[in-house]
Amino acid sequence: MKNFKLKSVLVVLFLGTALVSCSNDDDKVTTPVEKAKISFATEVKGPATGKVNDELSYDVTYTPDTACGVFNKFTEVTIGAVKGLGVEVKYPSDVCTLQTPQPQKAVYKFKATAKGTFEIKFQKSETEFLIQKVVIE
Protein backbone atom coordinates (compact mmCIF):
# COMPACT_ATOMS: atom_id res chain seq x y z
CA MET A 1 0.00 0.00 0.00
CA LYS A 2 2.87 2.33 0.88
CA ASN A 3 4.49 1.50 -2.47
CA PHE A 4 1.26 2.37 -4.35
CA LYS A 5 0.88 5.63 -2.38
CA LEU A 6 4.49 6.59 -3.08
CA LYS A 7 4.09 5.87 -6.80
CA SER A 8 0.87 7.91 -6.90
CA VAL A 9 2.54 10.89 -5.23
CA LEU A 10 5.52 10.66 -7.62
CA VAL A 11 3.22 10.48 -10.68
CA VAL A 12 1.25 13.54 -9.48
CA LEU A 13 4.48 15.47 -8.82
CA PHE A 14 5.87 14.49 -12.23
CA LEU A 15 2.70 15.52 -14.09
CA GLY A 16 2.50 18.77 -12.10
CA THR A 17 6.10 19.60 -12.96
CA ALA A 18 5.55 18.77 -16.62
CA LEU A 19 2.46 20.95 -16.86
CA VAL A 20 4.12 23.90 -15.13
CA SER A 21 7.28 23.67 -17.23
CA CYS A 22 5.26 23.54 -20.44
CA SER A 23 3.17 26.60 -19.67
CA ASN A 24 3.78 29.63 -21.84
CA ASP A 25 5.40 32.34 -19.75
CA ASP A 26 5.46 34.70 -22.73
CA ASP A 27 1.77 35.55 -22.65
CA LYS A 28 2.49 39.16 -23.50
CA VAL A 29 -0.02 40.51 -25.95
CA THR A 30 1.78 42.00 -28.90
CA THR A 31 -0.16 44.39 -31.03
CA PRO A 32 0.77 44.33 -34.68
CA VAL A 33 2.81 47.33 -35.68
CA GLU A 34 1.26 49.25 -38.52
CA LYS A 35 3.31 51.45 -40.77
CA ALA A 36 2.03 54.59 -42.43
CA LYS A 37 3.04 55.91 -45.82
CA ILE A 38 1.90 58.74 -48.09
CA SER A 39 -0.05 57.62 -51.17
CA PHE A 40 -0.29 59.96 -54.12
CA ALA A 41 -3.61 61.54 -55.08
CA THR A 42 -4.77 60.81 -58.62
CA GLU A 43 -7.96 62.89 -58.74
CA VAL A 44 -9.79 65.54 -56.71
CA LYS A 45 -13.51 66.24 -57.18
CA GLY A 46 -15.50 68.89 -55.38
CA PRO A 47 -17.06 72.34 -55.59
CA ALA A 48 -15.19 75.27 -57.14
CA THR A 49 -17.12 77.86 -55.14
CA GLY A 50 -18.43 78.19 -51.63
CA LYS A 51 -19.47 80.60 -48.90
CA VAL A 52 -17.69 81.77 -45.78
CA ASN A 53 -17.99 79.25 -42.90
CA ASP A 54 -19.62 76.61 -45.14
CA GLU A 55 -17.96 73.20 -45.05
CA LEU A 56 -16.99 71.92 -48.50
CA SER A 57 -16.26 68.25 -49.20
CA TYR A 58 -13.71 67.03 -51.75
CA ASP A 59 -13.40 63.41 -52.89
CA VAL A 60 -9.70 62.58 -53.15
CA THR A 61 -8.88 59.44 -55.14
CA TYR A 62 -5.63 57.61 -54.38
CA THR A 63 -4.20 54.13 -54.90
CA PRO A 64 -2.46 52.48 -51.93
CA ASP A 65 0.71 50.44 -52.45
CA THR A 66 -1.08 47.21 -51.50
CA ALA A 67 -4.71 46.17 -51.28
CA CYS A 68 -4.35 45.99 -47.48
CA GLY A 69 -3.74 49.75 -47.19
CA VAL A 70 -6.40 51.73 -45.31
CA PHE A 71 -6.86 55.51 -45.24
CA ASN A 72 -5.59 57.04 -42.00
CA LYS A 73 -5.61 60.84 -42.39
CA PHE A 74 -4.58 63.81 -44.47
CA THR A 75 -1.18 65.07 -43.43
CA GLU A 76 0.93 68.10 -44.31
CA VAL A 77 3.69 67.50 -46.86
CA THR A 78 6.29 69.82 -48.35
CA ILE A 79 7.76 69.76 -51.84
CA GLY A 80 10.57 72.28 -52.01
CA ALA A 81 9.13 75.31 -50.21
CA VAL A 82 5.51 74.56 -51.17
CA LYS A 83 3.22 73.00 -48.56
CA GLY A 84 0.25 70.80 -49.35
CA LEU A 85 -1.60 67.71 -48.20
CA GLY A 86 -0.71 64.06 -48.52
CA VAL A 87 -2.97 61.03 -48.15
CA GLU A 88 -1.56 58.96 -45.28
CA VAL A 89 -2.35 55.26 -45.59
CA LYS A 90 -1.77 52.63 -42.88
CA TYR A 91 -0.46 49.21 -43.80
CA PRO A 92 -0.50 46.17 -41.50
CA SER A 93 2.87 44.72 -40.51
CA ASP A 94 1.82 41.31 -41.79
CA VAL A 95 2.33 40.30 -45.39
CA CYS A 96 -0.61 41.35 -47.55
CA THR A 97 -2.05 38.45 -49.51
CA LEU A 98 -4.81 40.41 -51.23
CA GLN A 99 -4.82 41.04 -54.94
CA THR A 100 -3.87 44.21 -56.80
CA PRO A 101 -4.80 47.44 -54.98
CA GLN A 102 -7.79 49.36 -56.27
CA PRO A 103 -8.22 53.15 -56.27
CA GLN A 104 -9.87 54.36 -53.07
CA LYS A 105 -11.52 57.61 -52.05
CA ALA A 106 -11.20 59.75 -48.95
CA VAL A 107 -13.21 62.88 -48.19
CA TYR A 108 -11.34 66.08 -47.37
CA LYS A 109 -13.37 68.77 -45.59
CA PHE A 110 -12.52 72.44 -46.17
CA LYS A 111 -14.00 75.40 -44.32
CA ALA A 112 -12.91 78.96 -45.08
CA THR A 113 -13.40 81.74 -42.53
CA ALA A 114 -12.73 84.56 -45.01
CA LYS A 115 -13.55 85.48 -48.60
CA GLY A 116 -10.98 84.85 -51.31
CA THR A 117 -9.52 82.32 -53.71
CA PHE A 118 -7.86 79.32 -52.10
CA GLU A 119 -5.71 76.56 -53.54
CA ILE A 120 -5.97 73.14 -51.91
CA LYS A 121 -2.92 71.11 -52.90
CA PHE A 122 -2.75 67.32 -52.76
CA GLN A 123 0.50 65.48 -53.41
CA LYS A 124 0.36 63.87 -56.86
CA SER A 125 3.98 62.66 -57.06
CA GLU A 126 7.33 63.24 -55.41
CA THR A 127 7.66 66.55 -57.25
CA GLU A 128 4.17 67.94 -57.88
CA PHE A 129 0.72 68.65 -56.46
CA LEU A 130 -2.83 68.34 -57.77
CA ILE A 131 -4.35 71.78 -57.20
CA GLN A 132 -8.02 72.37 -56.47
CA LYS A 133 -8.97 76.05 -56.63
CA VAL A 134 -12.00 77.26 -54.69
CA VAL A 135 -13.52 80.74 -54.62
CA ILE A 136 -15.15 81.69 -51.33
CA GLU A 137 -17.73 84.51 -51.51
Side-chain angles (χ1 to χ4, degrees):
M1 186 75 157
K2 283 186 179 184
N3 192 14
F4 178 71
K5 207 175 205 182
L6 179 62
K7 285 183 181 179
S8 297
V9 169
L10 287 176
V11 168
V12 169
L13 284 175
F14 175 74
L15 290 174
T17 304
L19 291 174
V20 169
S21 66
C22 292
S23 71
N24 187 359
D25 292 337
D26 298 331
D27 289 340
K28 299 173 189 166
V29 177
T30 56
T31 55
V33 178
E34 294 180 330
K35 57 182 177 174
K37 187 177 175 188
I38 301 295
S39 286
F40 299 135
T42 55
E43 182 181 35
V44 178
K45 288 184 179 178
T49 61
K51 296 185 186 241
V52 174
N53 292 325
D54 279 355
E55 189 173 79
L56 305 175
S57 296
Y58 294 91
D59 289 332
V60 181
T61 304
Y62 65 95
T63 303
D65 290 346
T66 69
C68 294
V70 177
F71 173 77
N72 185 35
K73 64 182 177 180
F74 289 101
T75 187
E76 187 175 286
V77 294
T78 305
I79 298 176
V82 181
K83 290 186 179 186
L85 298 168
V87 180
E88 185 177 291
V89 178
K90 275 190 177 180
Y91 299 94
S93 60
D94 302 334
V95 176
C96 181
T97 58
L98 298 177
Q99 298 297 321
T100 308
Q102 298 297 316
Q104 298 181 14
K105 289 187 180 187
V107 177
Y108 178 74
K109 306 253 185 214
F110 177 77
K111 186 176 187 179
T113 57
K115 291 181 179 183
T117 301
F118 297 89
E119 288 185 344
I120 308 170
K121 300 172 184 161
F122 295 94
Q123 189 175 13
K124 178 181 179 180
S125 69
E126 292 290 335
T127 58
E128 63 183 324
F129 288 109
L130 272 176
I131 299 173
Q132 176 71 40
K133 288 187 180 184
V134 60
V135 177
I136 302 297
E137 300 170 342

